[in-house]
Amino acid sequence: MTLRERLARATGPGEGRRGDWDFPGNEHEAPVALTPAAVLIGVVTHDRPTILLTRRTDTLRRHAGQVAFPGGRIDPEDADPTAAALREAHEEVALPPHAVDVVGVTDPYSTGTGYHIVPVIGLIAPNLPLVPAADEVASIFEVPLDFVLDPVNHQLRQTEWQGRLRSYYVITWETHEIWGATAAMIVNLSRRLA
């Protein structure tokens, strides 16, 4: 089965964790109003495929310094979540929308910070000249797809946040700590591909 076929199997509605509150200990009431958002799970088609990630700048008001997929809010001008994810990837890392072979979308994920995120899966050729948007993205990096999809690397941790003990996933690759919604969307994708 090709990589494209495997990823296509992971699209559509599934049984993944659909929000921060689906974790043990996080069962408090979900936010009533969620902001629609989309991210690009860009799979770079090296011989050993990788996923494209960014580290956000430390100066951002929200989620400063965190590892994230390229993405953000769905604007009224965006035709759909796919258009939003491609637009955001172009704005954040200069990835041309025509350079992404969109496979589909997978389990939406809602966050305790008020976002309903649609992950869009797309294939990207290696060695594209990507450039981080200086005001949003501190760095761009890739992590082997097989590593992030391996359940052995999915650590469930807990911390206190806003007076409650919260559970969340962490995936550590070299010096990068992928956690929160980004890690949860990777775990969901891993379960869909299993």
Side-chain angles (χ1 to χ4, degrees):
M1 182 178 294
T2 68
L3 176 61
R4 181 177 183 64
E5 290 168 336
R6 284 192 67 220
L7 291 171
R9 280 185 29 210
T11 63
E15 299 301 318
R17 297 198 184 278
R18 293 169 296 282
D20 287 347
W21 49 87
D22 289 331
F23 289 87
N26 296 5
E27 294 91 355
H28 64 285
E29 189 175 321
V32 176
L34 295 171
T35 301
V39 297
L40 177 66
I41 300 179
V43 178
V44 185
T45 58
H46 296 285
D47 290 339
R48 182 185 184 193
T50 60
I51 59 166
L52 180 72
L53 291 164
T54 67
R55 178 170 303 285
R56 298 168 61 86
T57 62
D58 290 330
T59 56
L60 289 174
R61 194 178 55 126
R62 299 186 83 177
H63 310 294
Q66 291 183 5
V67 171
F69 293 114
R73 293 178 185 205
I74 298 176
D75 289 344
E77 305 83 46
D78 295 321
D80 55 24
T82 298
L86 295 176
R87 174 187 53 75
E88 287 282 347
H90 186 252
E91 291 173 3
E92 292 180 14
V93 299
L95 176 62
H98 69 269
V100 181
D101 180 9
V102 175
V103 175
V105 300
T106 192
D107 301 309
Y109 191 85
S110 298
T111 70
T113 55
Y115 291 92
H116 181 74
I117 305 167
V118 176
V120 176
I121 303 172
L123 302 176
I124 304 168
N127 305 315
L128 292 176
L130 303 179
V131 180
D135 58 336
E136 287 186 71
V137 178
S139 63
I140 303 167
F141 64 98
E142 298 176 26
V143 178
L145 181 64
D146 59 355
F147 180 87
V148 296
L149 294 180
D150 188 341
V152 168
N153 299 316
H154 304 164
Q155 302 170 27
L156 189 60
R157 294 189 190 167
Q158 290 187 321
T159 192
E160 188 173 318
W161 184 68
Q162 295 185 343
R164 295 175 187 251
L165 194 61
R166 299 286 307 262
S167 298
Y168 61 98
Y169 278 109
V170 176
I171 302 168
T172 303
W173 167 254
E174 295 179 346
T175 61
H176 303 287
E177 192 167 85
I178 307 160
W179 64 280
T182 302
M185 287 184 276
I186 291 170
V187 170
N188 283 348
L189 180 60
S190 171
R191 290 177 177 166
R192 294 297 299 275
L193 290 170

